[in-house]
């Protein structure tokens, strides 16, 4: 079985199928073969169970090279090599084959876990008892230069048969140890691989489930937005009539109104307007959520906007005994923005500031130039990518009850109120800030809250300046 087609389960049971070169890496096998060959003074080759040569430490023998130049001797030597390769000794035994040159080959089987995983061939080596070139060789090759062959025999490896047999046994024992630790490493690796694969599969499954849940939530969110848009739209028409008719009643178009009637009709109109405000908010929110709100961007002046917002809110603030201050740090570039929507943002913030500040307090609306970092979003790790961009920074600061730190991001969620219990002193729906945030973001801006010293909240709105406006 090839490695490529193994399943993780097969990999866990490799003890039964591992090849020699899987159990002992090729490099270790090569250096082991080399050092045994050096120590024993005999050539060594290791073959896999499939006959592939895995390691070779057999320096060329001059005698053999010389004999190979004669056709008859070469044929005889090649026959010997083929028969050595086909030798298959019994388990734990060694087989010996003699060569026409007078040398010997010793073959030994390598076993692992009662399985043949390879073969070792030692030789050719020449026992010291061999005195002369075999006569068989002379018969085979009469043209042989006997003196030369004899002198080459004297430099050939002279090792006793017993030494080579012992060398083989040592090599076999060493390989056994190596294969055992190799098997351990292989199993550990396979188990690790299998567990990584399993974790990956589980992660994939979880990711799939999350994706399904996310798609479903997105669909629900879309349905909710559609529902809000439709209902708000349908409520607005009759409500406009209610407000219109109550105004006509108050103007006496349908005759004089007497006694408590004026007070009751006034309440109807006021509550109707409150409801209309809420419905408009819901419509805005659903348009912002679905991305269908279109901004009417145009060049606009910041000081005029700040002045206008302060003037609009001053009567309301005075009624509560509050002061509204403004501060604009010139020079300020013009903004390319939807003036009406930015006015809505600031009015909403000032309205909140007035609402949450007790009598005697101050609300300050200010604007100045600043440079802030714009990461694409929190935690994306793109710190190096962040560049500072010029912005006009609006601040609405009050001296009111302030907003605890843990609430400072939550207040931008739709319908969220810091103290949402029914005993809340202040009215409201919790929609205002979520609309404000989305309007700011649709201008590519940012909004956040800080604490005011010694008390109160500061809402900071940053609207990017177009480069062209900045240089003007
Ligand atoms: P609403 O004012 O209608 O409740 P908002 O979305 O405008 O809804 O505000 C959400 C909540 O944030 C408010 O209910 C209030 O608890 C808190 N909040 C907003 N502005 C201020 C402020 N200036 N000071 C203290 N709390 C504030």
């Amino acid at each position: 079985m090839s490695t490529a087609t193994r399943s993780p389960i097969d990999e866990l049971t490799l003890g039964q199928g591992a090849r020699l070169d899987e159990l002992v890496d090729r490099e270790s096998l090569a250096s082991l073969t080399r050092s045994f060959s050096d120590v024993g003074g005999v050539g060594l080759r290791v073959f896999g169970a499939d006959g592939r040569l895995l390691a070779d430490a057999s320096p060329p023998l001059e005698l053999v090279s010389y004999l190979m130049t004669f056709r008859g001797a070469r044929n005889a030597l090649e026959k010997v090599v083929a028969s050595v390769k086909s030798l298959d000794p019994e388990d734990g035994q060694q087989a010996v084959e003699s060569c026409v040159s007078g040398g010997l080959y010793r073959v030994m089987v390598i076993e692992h876990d009662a399985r043949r995983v390879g073969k070792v061939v030692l030789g050719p080596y020449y026992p010291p008892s061999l005195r002369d070139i075999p006569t068989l060789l002379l018969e085979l090759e009469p043209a042989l230069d006997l003196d030369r062959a004899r002198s080459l025999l004297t430099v050939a490896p002279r090792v006793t048969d017993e030494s080579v047999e012992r060398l083989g046994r040592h090599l076999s024992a060493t390989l056994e140890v190596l294969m055992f630790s190799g098997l351990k490493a292989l199993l550990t690796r396979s188990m690790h691989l299998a567990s990584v694969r399993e974790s990956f599969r589980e992660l994939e499954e979880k990711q799939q489930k999350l994706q399904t849940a996310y798609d479903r939530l997105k669909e629900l969110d879309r349905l909710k937005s559609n529902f809000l848009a439709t209902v708000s739209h349908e409520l607005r028409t009759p409500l406009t009539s209610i407000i219109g008719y109550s105004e006509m009643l108050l103007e006496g178009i349908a005759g004089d109104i007497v006694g408590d009637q004026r007070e009751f009709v006034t309440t109807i109109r006021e509550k109707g307007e409150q409801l209309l405000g809420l419905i408009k908010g819901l419509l805005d929110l659903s348009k912002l959520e679905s991305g269908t709100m279109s901004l009417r961007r145009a060049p606009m002046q910041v000081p005029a906007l700040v002045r206008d917002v302060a003037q609009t809110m001053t009567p309301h603030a005075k009624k509560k005994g509050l002061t509204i201050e403004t501060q604009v740090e010139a020079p300020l570039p013009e903004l390319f923005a939807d003036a009406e929507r930015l006015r809505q943002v600031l009015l909403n913030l000032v309205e909140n500031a007035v609402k949450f500040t007790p009598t005697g307090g101050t609300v300050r609306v200010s604007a100045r130039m600043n440079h802030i970092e714009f990461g694409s979003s929190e935690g994306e790790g793109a710190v190096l990518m962040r560049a500072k961009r010029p912005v006009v920074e609006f601040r609405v600061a009050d001296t009111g009850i302030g907003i605890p730190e843990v609430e400072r991001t939550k207040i931008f969620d739709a319908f969220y109120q810091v103290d949402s219990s029914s005993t809340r002193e202040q009215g409201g729906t919790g929609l205002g800030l979520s609309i404000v945030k989305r309007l700011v973001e649709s201008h590519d801006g940012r909004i956040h809250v800080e604490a005011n010293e010694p008390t109160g909240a500061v809402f900071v709105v940053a609207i990017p300046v177009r480069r062209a406006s900045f240089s003007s």
Side-chain angles (χ1 to χ4, degrees):
M1 192 194 301
S2 83
T3 347
T5 56
R6 271 185 195 136
S7 76
I9 301 301
D10 294 331
E11 278 165 26
L12 278 177
T13 52
L14 268 180
Q16 284 116 49
R19 296 193 314 258
L20 177 57
D21 54 334
E22 284 177 321
L23 293 168
V24 182
D25 72 90
R26 294 286 277 265
E27 241 169 76
S28 312
L29 202 60
S31 76
L32 182 80
T33 313
R34 232 177 294 122
S35 52
F36 266 78
S37 162
D38 286 350
V39 170
V42 59
L44 254 172
R45 284 188 188 87
V46 180
F47 295 88
D50 54 3
R52 269 184 316 133
L53 180 65
L54 301 180
D56 186 353
S58 50
L61 286 188
E62 280 183 81
L63 175 60
V64 175
S65 307
Y66 175 62
L67 296 180
M68 288 294 269
T69 57
F70 298 91
R71 198 140 71 103
R74 187 168 65 237
N75 287 344
L77 284 170
E78 280 168 357
K79 257 190 218 148
V80 173
V81 169
S83 98
V84 165
K85 276 191 180 169
S86 66
L87 277 182
D88 206 9
E90 292 284 298
D91 296 354
Q93 303 293 310
Q94 298 184 1
V96 180
E97 176 82 22
S98 52
C99 164
V100 278
S101 67
L104 295 173
Y105 284 97
R106 199 164 259 278
V107 179
M108 177 183 93
V109 165
I110 311 167
E111 285 188 356
H112 171 71
D113 206 14
R115 215 164 33 87
R116 296 183 164 216
V117 290
K119 239 194 278 187
V120 177
V121 176
L122 302 107
Y125 58 94
Y126 298 83
S129 54
L130 180 73
R131 297 261 175 257
D132 202 355
I133 297 294
T135 43
L136 178 69
L137 192 59
L138 291 175
E139 283 164 23
L140 209 64
E141 279 306 337
L144 202 72
D145 175 351
L146 197 57
D147 289 341
R148 177 140 188 232
R150 278 183 178 143
S151 82
L152 291 177
L153 178 64
T154 56
V155 294
R158 294 300 193 129
V159 201
T160 63
D161 212 22
E162 295 74 44
S163 305
V164 178
E165 197 255 354
R166 231 175 312 137
L167 188 75
R169 270 193 283 116
H170 283 311
L171 178 62
S172 165
T174 313
L175 273 174
E176 224 164 85
V177 175
L178 280 182
M179 285 191 292
F180 180 69
S181 50
L183 178 69
K184 268 201 328 200
L186 192 68
L187 283 179
T188 313
R189 229 170 30 233
S190 306
M191 278 168 78
H192 179 68
L193 198 73
S195 86
V196 167
R197 280 193 186 156
E198 182 56 16
S199 314
F200 182 71
R201 198 191 53 73
E202 277 174 16
L203 261 181
E204 262 188 338
E205 230 169 63
K206 282 188 185 142
Q207 203 252 348
Q208 188 55 46
K209 278 189 191 150
L210 271 177
Q211 185 64 44
T212 315
Y214 173 76
D215 291 345
R216 200 175 137 59
L217 280 176
K218 235 174 119 179
E219 176 60 10
L220 283 177
D221 198 47
R222 198 186 58 78
L223 289 176
K224 180 210 73 185
S225 296
N226 280 355
F227 174 75
L228 273 183
T230 317
V231 170
S232 310
H233 192 75
E234 293 306 315
L235 282 176
R236 205 159 63 158
T237 322
L239 204 52
T240 317
S241 302
I242 291 172
I243 294 169
Y245 279 108
S246 53
E247 270 168 0
M248 285 198 289
L249 282 175
L250 286 172
E251 281 166 17
I253 291 172
D256 288 345
I257 50 171
V258 290
D260 289 344
Q261 284 176 354
R262 175 167 295 277
E263 193 192 324
F264 292 171
V265 178
T266 306
T267 309
I268 293 174
R269 200 202 58 198
E270 278 174 6
K271 296 294 170 196
E273 267 165 7
Q274 206 178 324
L275 207 53
L276 191 61
L278 171 63
I279 289 168
K280 279 185 182 159
L282 283 174
L283 271 174
D284 276 356
L285 189 66
S286 71
K287 275 191 205 157
L288 283 163
E289 277 183 345
S290 61
T292 52
M293 175 172 286
S294 51
L295 294 181
R296 270 182 248 146
R297 286 186 184 239
M300 56 163 289
Q301 300 303 322
V302 176
L305 173 68
V306 172
R307 234 183 357 251
D308 175 38
V309 169
Q311 273 167 7
T312 311
M313 290 306 294
T314 298
H316 182 49
K318 267 195 182 147
K319 246 193 249 172
K320 223 188 146 185
L322 302 178
T323 319
I324 295 196
E325 292 175 357
T326 61
Q327 188 185 18
V328 175
E329 280 180 26
L332 278 184
E334 63 180 15
L335 282 178
F336 186 71
D338 185 329
E340 197 38 53
R341 291 302 182 183
L342 278 196
R343 185 171 181 273
Q344 184 183 343
V345 165
L346 290 184
L347 278 178
N348 208 315
L349 295 179
V350 177
E351 217 172 292
N352 275 351
V354 170
K355 189 156 67 168
F356 295 103
T357 305
T359 310
T362 308
V363 176
R364 169 186 283 256
V365 187
S366 60
R368 63 169 184 156
M369 256 325 274
N370 199 358
H371 286 81
I372 64 166
E373 271 178 3
F374 272 83
S376 17
S377 74
E378 284 304 313
E380 279 184 17
V383 179
L384 292 176
M385 307 284 285
R386 292 185 185 169
K388 288 203 166 187
R389 287 181 61 184
V391 293
V392 169
E393 189 179 87
F394 296 94
R395 290 180 159 250
V396 177
D398 62 52
T399 56
I401 57 172
I403 302 169
E405 202 167 343
V406 284
E407 307 280 359
R408 287 187 199 152
T409 48
K410 295 188 212 158
I411 51 170
F412 294 105
D413 292 344
F415 303 106
Y416 189 83
Q417 297 182 312
V418 171
D419 174 8
S420 53
S421 71
S422 53
T423 55
R424 254 174 77 94
E425 281 181 33
Q426 315 297 339
T429 56
L431 266 188
L433 286 181
S434 65
I435 296 173
V436 161
K437 184 168 192 273
R438 286 182 162 88
L439 282 176
V440 169
E441 284 172 354
S442 62
H443 281 88
D444 305 317
R446 299 281 184 274
I447 182 168
H448 72 272
V449 195
E450 295 171 1
N452 202 8
E453 289 302 328
T455 153
V458 187
F459 281 81
V460 186
V461 173
I463 305 290
V465 176
R466 279 202 309 184
R467 282 179 202 290
S469 333
F470 186 49
S471 55
S472 67

